Amino acid sequence: PKTDIVFLKVHKSASSTVMNILFRFGETHNLTFAFPQGGGYQLYYPHHFLARFVQDFSPASPRRFNILCHHMRFLQPEVQKVVPSSAVYFSILRNPVQLMESSFAYYKGASAFSRVRSLEEFLSQPYRYYNPASGDRHYARNLMTFDFGFNPDADVSPERVKLMLKAIEASFDLLLISEYFDESMVLLKEVLCWDLDSVVSFPLNSRDSSTKSPLPDSVVEKLKAWNRLDWEIYTHFNRTFWERIERDIGRERMGREVRALRERQAELARTCLQGPGSVAPKDIKDSSLRPLQYGKARILGYNLKQGLDGELERTCRRLVTPELQYSSLLYKKQFPPPPP
């Protein structure tokens, strides 16, 4: 199994669920994580990533970390200073229309969104609300483009788009698609030479459907145009994703692998969870399993069955531990506080 990994955690793209998979694998295999300084949760996002943002990184020592997966704005020469040269680089993308709808609910306090009641209102005259000079502009336009390190306000000339796609292809070994999450996990398992249980997951940091609203077609078209750079990234890598599946796995075996993954997840859900699945924040009984609530979104979580035995309880708990709690736990394990 490959143990040196860079995951670019693109916002609002099922990336918290992927991060949970990486946390569990790293913990099980005693790997080191490139944590933000002081145990924070982001690597000084939205600044471009610098090696010195990582706890215990020192230019004088050649120490490398196994897994880099916290939120960052990608800058490969700096990333290469903290991970081994053999690291596998991957990320996950989401349809920019759904991504922006999610971003609007989650980052409602962002300067571009705070004065509008709806996405439709924002898109009717975006430059009335959107300021390219504001420090949180990226939440409102081409968020994937920004996370990959590019300018979200750049012009959309064919030459520029081509250069951007080529740069992403040169840096990343694999780009997954969140709409095809199970297929993505099978592909990830293949590339990393992991076993099935390593890529099993329950959806984390997902929103209650009561805060989601379907968008009219006219708004969808405006969203695509406004997020044109993201749309170019998404459509290109959605195509290469399926080409890769055809080439490396084949549709038939992919179908079998996805069924096996879903069966295993269903089995774990029956074993681990109280009730049929995720629940509203107010219904989560164990406060250590309650995800951070943010913006207008209501973030769901899980209740574990009572009386699970030691090892099984640990497995189940890790599957449903929200990102911030899990990150803190691993940070304390890697950097134990000095005894009093």
Side-chain angles (χ1 to χ4, degrees):
K2 300 215 174 28
T3 53
D4 299 324
I5 294 158
V6 173
F7 172 53
L8 178 64
K9 189 175 184 291
V10 168
H11 286 76
K12 316 311 316 147
S13 303
S15 56
S16 295
T17 308
V18 177
M19 200 173 187
N20 178 273
I21 288 169
L22 295 174
F23 279 168
R24 285 179 0 239
F25 186 86
E27 187 180 20
T28 308
H29 293 82
N30 238 342
L31 304 176
T32 56
F33 289 88
F35 281 108
Q37 284 281 3
Y41 304 113
Q42 299 194 339
L43 291 151
Y44 288 83
Y45 187 87
H47 298 284
H48 272 109
F49 176 79
L50 295 174
R52 62 182 169 82
F53 296 163
V54 173
Q55 178 79 37
D56 264 21
F57 169 78
S58 145
S61 121
R63 182 189 179 183
R64 296 282 190 269
F65 299 88
N66 299 115
I67 299 178
L68 175 61
C69 62
H70 287 73
H71 271 310
M72 64 171 160
R73 188 171 182 208
F74 190 66
L75 187 60
Q76 191 164 16
E78 289 290 317
V79 169
Q80 286 167 333
K81 295 176 186 176
V82 299
V83 293
S85 56
S86 58
V88 175
Y89 287 66
F90 80 101
S91 186
I92 187 163
L93 307 173
R94 184 182 186 186
N95 184 314
V97 174
Q98 278 73 48
L99 186 138
M100 190 162 175
E101 190 274 330
S102 176
S103 189
F104 183 78
Y106 206 78
Y107 302 112
K108 186 68 181 78
S111 56
F113 294 151
S114 58
R115 293 182 295 135
V116 293
R117 285 186 302 279
S118 66
L119 257 184
E120 285 157 82
E121 191 181 338
F122 173 78
L123 290 161
S124 64
Q125 32 187 340
Y127 281 109
R128 185 175 165 190
Y129 309 106
Y130 177 83
N131 175 5
S134 77
D136 61 359
R137 77 190 192 285
H138 50 284
Y139 294 122
R141 187 177 204 189
N142 290 316
L143 183 48
M144 292 191 289
T145 303
F146 184 87
D147 285 354
F148 276 97
F150 303 102
N151 175 7
D153 294 303
D155 65 308
V156 194
S157 66
E159 296 75 29
R160 188 179 205 108
V161 167
K162 205 165 154 186
L163 280 172
M164 180 174 72
L165 296 176
K166 271 200 158 51
I168 295 172
E169 275 174 343
S171 301
F172 287 83
D173 300 287
L174 181 63
L175 285 142
L176 305 174
I177 303 290
S178 65
E179 284 79 10
Y180 304 102
F181 192 80
D182 294 342
E183 290 84 352
S184 291
M185 291 306 102
V186 171
L187 198 50
L188 183 66
K189 170 175 88 73
E190 290 283 312
V191 169
L192 298 176
C193 307
W194 288 7
D195 62 9
L196 181 72
D197 267 17
S198 297
V199 296
V200 163
S201 64
F202 297 145
L204 293 176
N205 205 27
S206 54
R207 226 169 10 125
D208 180 354
S209 54
S210 69
T211 60
K212 296 177 186 173
S213 46
L215 299 166
D217 290 348
S218 58
V219 172
V220 169
E221 289 312 311
K222 280 182 182 167
L223 272 175
K224 284 184 198 170
W226 176 249
N227 294 287
R228 180 65 194 283
L229 290 167
D230 271 11
W231 187 250
E232 295 285 351
I233 291 174
Y234 179 77
T235 49
H236 175 82
F237 288 108
N238 188 14
R239 193 180 70 248
T240 59
F241 174 78
W242 291 105
E243 285 168 1
R244 183 156 188 171
I245 286 172
E246 294 280 3
R247 189 184 72 231
D248 296 355
I249 298 179
R251 295 281 174 130
E252 204 173 313
R253 180 156 82 87
M254 177 54 88
R256 288 199 303 275
E257 297 258 1
V258 164
R259 279 194 297 281
L261 178 64
R262 287 177 182 162
E263 279 162 19
R264 181 68 182 125
Q265 279 168 182
E267 185 189 335
L268 277 164
R270 287 192 297 273
T271 306
C272 296
L273 303 180
Q274 274 183 38
S278 54
V279 295
K282 64 176 175 40
D283 298 323
I284 300 168
K285 300 184 181 82
D286 180 342
S287 61
S288 71
L289 297 178
R290 196 170 290 139
L292 172 77
Q293 301 300 312
Y294 202 85
K296 269 200 327 183
R298 275 222 315 247
I299 308 300
L300 304 172
Y302 298 91
N303 285 316
L304 289 180
K305 279 188 176 159
Q306 300 295 301
L308 298 167
D309 74 39
E311 190 50 39
L312 183 60
E313 204 274 345
R314 194 185 151 283
T315 300
C316 292
R317 179 169 287 276
R318 291 292 186 263
L319 276 162
V320 300
T321 300
E323 177 186 324
L324 303 191
Q325 288 94 311
Y326 206 158
S327 185
S328 296
L329 191 134
L330 292 173
Y331 179 81
K332 288 188 188 102
K333 200 172 161 182
Q334 190 166 313
F335 302 106

